[in-house]
Amino acid sequence: MHSPKEIDITILKELLKDGRTSFTSLAQQYNTSKDIIWKHYRELEKDGIIVGATIQINVQKLGYSGVAMLMLNVDSQNINRVYEALTQITTECETYRYCGIFRYYNSEFSLAMIARLKTLNELEQAKQRINKQGGVNEIKTLLWTDCRNTPENVLTGGITKKIPSKKDSEQDFPDGAIKLDEVDNQIIQKLTKNGRLPFSSIAEEIGSSTYTVTRRYEKLLKNNYLKTSIQINPVQLGFQAILELHLSLADHGETKTVVDEISKIPGVSYVLQISGDFDLIVVALVKDCKDIIALNEAIDNIQYVKKVNGLIRQIPPMWPTPFQY
């Protein structure tokens, strides 16, 4: 496990928040040189902490009707076999429609699969693909309706100096509709694989100009279609598991208030608003039992939270995962 310095934490937090922030910009904000920022960045890569860069997307604006989490009750002797089969499905899906499969521990549900839906009919298709594997006793569906995604929040160390940015001053992005064309889609696919890929390289690969790619990206970013983030290996920073909390609220009219409070809790990576047995899902990276207890206590102190159900699941070697909501 690596023990990053204060400047390392700063670099990681800012690049998790905006993966295309330049070394020059970071150097100017923190009164240091571009070469020092570059050196620390390369060391973080060498140590296996920074492992890539990707984009996170607004699924509705990209034409999906929603995201479904399919929680599976699987016989213990079949867990590994079903997990491997579903992992193969997600790997083969070039459109990232099936975008995640993970394991739960000490839970009624052993596995979960994430599926992006163009239509509700695709939900039934996803269930059929799962049932074909055999050994699945029950499938519970949770539909995601909204998301607050702040991957930088998993890092609580480092300096607290506020970096002013355009995005900080524009909390509400315009909802202007963009009709995506093939160029937009190609840019999105390239950035999914490498969020820090130079615009000039993207332009060369898709047969466009650097100016066009830059302007298209800026428009997608400004209209909240996507955001870029570096990817870290959480294990290299001491994280051991993901804590997933399912919350029921006493007053649905206070959902935004609750989400605002939860988003301030150290370690919380994203909060999902869902339709189902619960109202919110809180996802946090934890290092030990103390983190789990502290996060549960923080949730308990938030007004309007009526019920909490906790689950532990595997931590991936890359966070955030590509094409996260």
Side-chain angles (χ1 to χ4, degrees):
M1 183 183 71
H2 181 90
S3 297
K5 301 176 182 178
E6 185 175 280
I7 190 171
D8 296 328
I9 293 294
T10 298
I11 292 169
L12 291 172
K13 288 179 70 173
E14 295 308 319
L15 292 178
L16 281 167
K17 183 163 60 176
D18 181 358
R20 295 195 69 89
T21 299
S22 68
F23 296 159
T24 299
S25 177
L26 286 172
Q28 290 174 346
Q29 294 293 342
Y30 291 98
N31 298 319
T32 187
S33 71
K34 176 183 175 181
D35 288 342
I36 289 177
I37 297 294
W38 180 89
K39 179 181 178 181
H40 281 271
Y41 181 90
R42 294 305 180 198
E43 286 296 320
L44 290 167
E45 284 188 318
K46 181 180 177 181
D47 291 337
I49 294 176
I50 295 178
V51 292
T54 190
I55 57 171
Q56 298 164 299
I57 63 166
N58 186 324
V59 292
Q60 287 92 351
K61 289 197 172 187
L62 290 182
Y64 295 93
S65 61
V67 180
M69 181 163 71
L70 305 169
M71 301 176 67
L72 317 180
N73 179 295
V74 182
D75 294 332
S76 58
Q77 66 270 25
N78 290 316
I79 290 176
N80 290 335
R81 179 183 61 78
V82 175
Y83 178 85
E84 291 301 324
L86 296 181
T87 300
Q88 188 66 27
I89 292 175
T90 62
T91 301
E92 292 174 349
C93 185
E94 292 297 330
T95 61
Y96 299 93
R97 183 154 298 171
Y98 301 108
C99 49
I101 173 72
F102 46 79
R103 291 188 61 168
Y104 288 117
Y105 294 93
N106 298 320
S107 168
E108 174 187 359
F109 297 94
S110 309
L111 302 172
M113 184 175 183
I114 310 299
R116 293 188 186 88
L117 309 172
K118 290 286 186 178
T119 67
L120 289 180
N121 288 336
E122 291 183 353
L123 180 57
E124 294 305 315
Q125 295 172 14
K127 290 181 179 179
Q128 290 174 14
R129 297 194 75 169
I130 291 171
N131 283 322
K132 284 181 180 179
Q133 311 310 317
V136 179
N137 301 318
E138 179 187 358
I139 301 176
K140 181 179 181 180
T141 304
L142 299 176
L143 292 175
W144 299 359
T145 59
D146 205 351
C147 180
R148 175 81 60 83
N149 199 333
T150 53
E152 67 274 10
N153 201 31
V154 303
L155 300 176
T156 58
I159 62 179
T160 58
K161 178 180 176 181
K162 179 70 170 178
I163 296 182
S165 69
K166 184 177 181 181
K167 284 194 280 189
D168 286 330
S169 63
E170 293 183 4
Q171 294 297 322
D172 296 317
F173 290 93
D175 290 326
I178 299 175
K179 186 176 181 180
L180 301 185
D181 60 16
E182 185 59 25
V183 172
D184 295 314
N185 289 324
Q186 288 185 73
I187 292 171
I188 289 170
Q189 291 300 324
K190 295 293 182 184
L191 292 175
T192 299
K193 297 176 181 178
N194 181 1
R196 287 183 65 84
L197 187 66
F199 291 143
S200 58
S201 298
I202 297 175
E204 183 177 352
E205 291 180 20
I206 69 174
S208 184
S209 69
T210 302
Y211 175 81
T212 296
V213 172
T214 303
R215 295 300 299 166
R216 294 293 186 96
Y217 174 82
E218 290 175 348
K219 192 171 184 180
L220 290 167
L221 182 67
K222 182 179 180 182
N223 285 274
N224 201 23
Y225 277 65
L226 54 77
K227 64 176 287 188
T228 304
S229 173
I230 60 162
Q231 295 167 290
I232 61 172
N233 183 341
V235 176
Q236 291 294 94
L237 292 172
F239 294 102
Q240 298 298 316
I242 291 177
L243 177 63
E244 185 176 300
L245 299 177
H246 296 194
L247 278 57
S248 293
L249 304 184
D251 186 348
H252 292 167
E254 297 295 336
T255 299
K256 184 180 183 302
T257 299
V258 174
V259 171
D260 287 343
E261 290 301 312
I262 293 173
S263 298
K264 298 174 184 177
I265 300 173
V268 171
S269 181
Y270 60 89
V271 184
L272 296 163
Q273 188 171 347
I274 62 174
S275 174
D277 295 342
F278 294 87
D279 302 305
L280 298 174
I281 294 178
V282 179
V283 175
L285 274 61
V286 293
K287 294 183 177 179
D288 50 35
C289 290
K290 291 181 180 179
D291 282 355
I292 295 174
I293 293 171
L295 200 143
N296 274 278
E297 289 180 344
I299 296 288
D300 288 341
N301 289 328
I302 296 176
Q303 192 177 5
Y304 307 115
V305 175
K306 181 172 64 174
K307 180 182 177 181
V308 181
N309 182 34
L311 303 169
I312 293 290
R313 60 179 169 94
Q314 286 178 322
I315 198 164
M318 182 177 286
W319 189 268
T321 53
F323 243 50
Q324 245 184 32
Y325 185 6

